[in-house]
Amino acid sequence: MNDQAHVLVYKLSETEGIPERFAELIKKHFNIIYCEEFLKNEKKHAEKIQFIFQWEGYPRIDEKLLKSLPHLKAIINHGVGVDHLNLPLINSFGVKVANTPHVVDNATAEMGMALMLASARNILEGQKVSTSPDTKMYPLNWFGVEVTGATLGIIGMGRIGYKVAQRAKGFEMRILYHNRNRRTEEEERLVGACYCAKIDDLLLKSDFVMIVVSLTPQTSKMIGERELSLMKPNATLINISRGGVIDQDALVKALQNGVIRAAALDVSEPEPLPRNHPILHLPNVILTPHIGTATEKTTHEMLEKMIENAVAAVRGFPMPDE
């Protein structure tokens, strides 16, 4: 056995956990201990583990696991959001946390645009009609809505929100945004964005509303019955952040009653939703399985970022993305 540090990984698999094709990338720097072998013999492995690579929320981090790993230095989370981690608990054990910002921006922004276009132009419904064995002719009165020239309201104009605005400019969209902090005049000018100090103003005027915020106590269920009632009847709600920022019960009612035209969601609360959840059966909903960052390039770059953070910690340097 070499003298590389040990990292705890849930699984390496093409269907679950870190994709197996990236195994050699990790093994260049670390010895891998899988959760299954760790649980079979905690006494043998606990002293060795210095890092946990958390991928899609696994392994679950709780007090029992933290207590069992006396030499744990850091938990490196794939992706940007750390709302699923109990940071005060983790920090109380002297364990640091890092994530992988920046590398996810383009892929997530693309996902937002893809959802907007697919919903606007009835792509999924059209595919079903085109491939159905019962189709004898195509309906002629199946109209979507145009994205070009429409008003896009972006809630959360951080790195990803700004990337969305850059792409929306190419569709000649009018761009409104609501954010904790206003962007500079130059940044606004470059994408043609107008700042809305009040979220209500954005909701009232937008044809498409895209949510790109982190899940915090302040943003939890920030879009509820009141906010949905302010939106245009022909508006579409798009969520590429976290499911918890929307009151899903209120969204179901709004979609069923025609308060808004449609919703296009890459996230839900929980994930996956129970199979009998009404959102799964609404014709005006697109739901994808949280795949905003799921491209080959971004996945590779996220893993490289995770390794970069852990290697820095091994060498006694601050983690770049702590």
Side-chain angles (χ1 to χ4, degrees), residues 7-12 23 27 32-39 45:
V7 60
L8 181 66
V9 169
Y10 177 61
K11 280 183 181 180
L12 281 173
K27 290 176 181 177
I32 298 173
I33 297 175
Y34 301 101
C35 280
E36 186 176 1
E37 60 180 306
F38 170 70
L39 293 172
H45 298 296

Side-chain angles (χ1 to χ4, degrees), residues 55-179:
W55 196 272
E56 295 178 351
Y58 291 95
R60 301 292 192 195
I61 310 298
D62 55 21
E63 188 171 6
K64 180 177 180 293
L65 179 60
L66 291 167
K67 282 182 176 178
S68 71
L69 302 174
H71 302 299
L72 184 64
K73 292 178 181 290
I75 296 164
I76 319 292
N77 179 66
H78 117 290
V80 177
V82 292
D83 49 274
H84 60 290
L85 294 172
N86 186 336
L87 297 180
L89 173 66
I90 294 168
N91 292 334
S92 72
F93 282 84
V95 175
K96 298 177 179 179
V97 174
N99 59 357
T100 62
H102 308 294
V103 298
V104 306
D105 300 353
N106 284 322
T108 308
E110 286 178 1
M111 189 68 190
M113 296 300 293
L115 287 169
M116 178 166 62
L117 290 165
S119 179
R121 299 308 304 272
N122 299 317
I123 298 297
L124 295 189
E125 296 89 337
Q127 195 268 346
K128 290 175 185 175
V129 168
S130 296
T131 58
S132 170
D134 300 322
T135 297
K136 300 290 192 298
M137 59 179 291
Y138 291 157
L140 300 178
N141 60 343
W142 202 347
F143 299 112
V145 295
E146 288 197 21
V147 169
T148 301
T151 299
L152 170 63
I154 302 172
I155 300 174
M157 188 70 107
R159 294 187 313 273
I160 296 171
Y162 197 77
K163 293 277 188 181
V164 170
Q166 289 174 325
R167 287 154 175 77
K169 184 183 178 185
F171 283 87
E172 302 171 10
M173 300 189 82
R174 180 190 180 207
I175 300 166
L176 308 177
Y177 78 98
H178 174 75
N179 203 45

Side-chain angles (χ1 to χ4, degrees), residues 4-62:
Q4 290 179 333
H6 290 70
V7 60
L8 181 66
V9 169
Y10 177 61
K11 280 183 181 180
L12 281 173
S13 164
E14 291 304 319
T15 57
E16 193 176 7
I18 299 174
E20 192 172 12
R21 60 190 179 279
F22 297 122
E24 292 306 313
L25 196 60
I26 303 174
K27 290 176 181 177
K28 285 180 183 178
H29 304 277
F30 300 98
N31 292 309
I32 298 173
I33 297 175
Y34 301 101
C35 280
E36 186 176 1
E37 60 180 306
F38 170 70
L39 293 172
K40 285 180 180 177
N41 196 338
E42 289 190 27
K43 189 175 181 180
K44 175 184 175 183
H45 298 296
E47 294 285 330
K48 302 175 185 176
I49 294 169
Q50 293 180 274
F51 300 94
I52 296 174
F53 280 1
Q54 192 183 50
W55 196 272
E56 295 178 351
Y58 291 95
R60 301 292 192 195
I61 310 298
D62 55 21

Side-chain angles (χ1 to χ4, degrees), residues 56-58 60 78 83-84 215 239-245 248 265-275 277 280 287-292:
E56 295 178 351
Y58 291 95
R60 301 292 192 195
H78 117 290
D83 49 274
H84 60 290
L215 179 60
N239 189 6
I240 54 172
S241 56
R242 289 290 187 269
V245 302
Q248 288 183 158
L265 316 168
D266 186 42
V267 289
S268 62
E269 181 61 42
E271 293 176 349
L273 287 170
R275 296 298 87 184
H277 196 285
L280 303 181
L287 179 64
T288 52
H290 203 151
I291 54 174

